Amino acid sequence: IFLIIIITFLFNSCSAQELNERLYSFKKGNLYGFINNKGEIVVKPQYNTVGLFSEGLCAVVKRENNESKLGYINYTGELVIDLQFQQYLYEGSDFSEGLAVIRLNNKSGYINRKGEIVFEPTLYKGHPFKNGYAVIEKEYSERTIINKEGEILFDPVEQYKKQRQVKPTNKESLYLNDRVSDGVITFAITYYSTYPSTKKMGYFDMEGNMFFPFDYLVSNFNNELAKTYSNNRTKVGFIDK
């Protein structure tokens, strides 16, 4: 009961103004517009696709002259970042820690809330920032981690080879999660030399130190705890860092 009271107090005190300002998308025909919490139309239906509001901005896509462009509106419905980017709407398009992923010339980069390009579009794909870090894909499935300065922290595959001190085979595949959580990132190694294939999981910290392997499946950390599962997923528990 105490926890519910605290959560309710925080929600009411921190979110009342934001809730009054927030816009909600609606669809009429094939186009999207936005209404406020009174049901009044603030933005007439004019967008072909829209995202979700995040940090006060929402990605919108408009198709004109057989070409779709992406930009961002604010809570008043004003287009504050012009329609100038390729249509590529997904989780990374939402602002997170002041940055959002955009695409130009079929490559991904990051912009800030002013619409300025912070990291040039040179990537296959970018993922949202969390706790000052983001997972990027230089090429398809070639994942690594950068900080807010755009510096690559380490090469996961090389760190795995170095710390395992075993000769890698072509029958092992490393998959890095797309989100850093509480200063670590989850990864999985799939062994194709067995049939059926088997999987082991672990974590990297931001210095590239590896905690591996666990005898159970692990998930991302949240508030210093991570949910874990037995390999057959019939049991669940938690681990700390």
Side-chain angles (χ1 to χ4, degrees):
I1 293 174
F2 178 75
L3 181 60
I4 293 173
I5 293 172
I6 293 295
I7 291 173
T8 303
F9 171 78
L10 291 174
F11 179 82
N12 289 336
S13 62
C14 298
S15 303
Q17 183 177 358
E18 183 183 354
L19 286 173
N20 287 332
E21 296 175 345
R22 184 171 295 177
L23 298 182
Y24 305 88
S25 64
F26 72 95
K27 190 175 184 180
K28 184 176 182 180
N30 293 322
L31 297 176
Y32 288 89
F34 291 86
I35 60 172
N36 59 22
N37 64 347
K38 297 178 182 178
E40 301 166 334
I41 294 177
V42 178
V43 180
K44 294 180 180 179
Q46 59 186 284
Y47 297 112
N48 298 89
T49 312
V50 298
L52 299 174
F53 271 96
S54 177
E55 300 184 1
L57 298 175
C58 176
V60 294
V61 175
K62 180 180 283 190
R63 186 169 181 81
E64 294 179 339
N65 300 322
N66 294 321
E67 189 175 17
S68 296
K69 292 292 185 180
L70 180 147
Y72 289 83
I73 65 170
N74 60 16
Y75 280 146
T76 68
E78 179 187 4
L79 188 68
V80 292
I81 299 177
D82 288 339
L83 298 162
Q84 57 187 296
F85 306 112
Q86 281 181 255
Q87 177 183 1
Y88 192 73
L89 205 57
Y90 73 114
E91 183 187 18
S93 304
D94 299 333
F95 274 89
S96 176
E97 300 187 4
L99 298 172
V101 182
I102 52 85
R103 281 182 76 82
L104 283 172
N105 301 317
N106 297 317
K107 293 289 185 179
S108 293
Y110 290 83
I111 60 170
N112 60 22
R113 287 168 46 82
K114 296 179 181 179
E116 301 166 334
I117 292 178
V118 179
F119 303 132
E120 292 292 333
T122 60
L123 306 171
Y124 172 79
K125 192 173 184 179
H127 296 275
F129 271 87
K130 185 174 177 63
N131 303 130
Y133 303 101
V135 175
I136 60 169
E137 296 182 47
K138 295 180 288 183
E139 301 294 340
Y140 175 71
S141 274
E142 187 182 323
R143 293 185 172 188
T144 187
I145 305 169
I146 61 171
N147 58 22
K148 281 287 187 74
E149 286 68 49
E151 301 166 331
I152 294 177
L153 302 188
F154 61 90
D155 184 322
V157 174
E158 290 303 316
Q159 286 296 327
Y160 172 77
K161 292 177 181 178
K162 178 180 177 181
Q163 294 179 57
R164 286 292 284 170
Q165 295 183 343
V166 294
K167 185 177 180 180
T169 71
N170 293 329
K171 295 183 178 181
E172 296 178 15
S173 176
L174 186 150
Y175 179 81
L176 196 68
N177 196 278
D178 60 10
R179 194 72 66 91
V180 175
S181 59
D182 287 354
V184 296
I185 187 164
T186 316
F187 72 93
I189 297 289
T190 302
Y191 299 94
Y192 295 103
S193 55
T194 62
Y195 184 81
S197 60
T198 57
K199 178 187 292 186
K200 292 288 186 180
M201 300 188 71
Y203 298 99
F204 285 113
D205 67 16
M206 296 302 96
E207 282 73 49
N209 299 312
M210 187 171 64
F211 306 91
F212 175 85
F214 290 98
D215 293 325
Y216 37 82
L217 305 177
V218 296
S219 61
N220 289 351
F221 275 90
N222 186 25
N223 295 326
E224 302 297 322
L225 291 177
K227 189 180 290 187
T228 64
Y229 304 87
S230 58
N231 284 314
N232 58 8
R233 291 186 176 272
T234 60
K235 301 290 184 180
V236 64
F238 289 87
I239 59 172
D240 60 20
K241 292 178 73 174

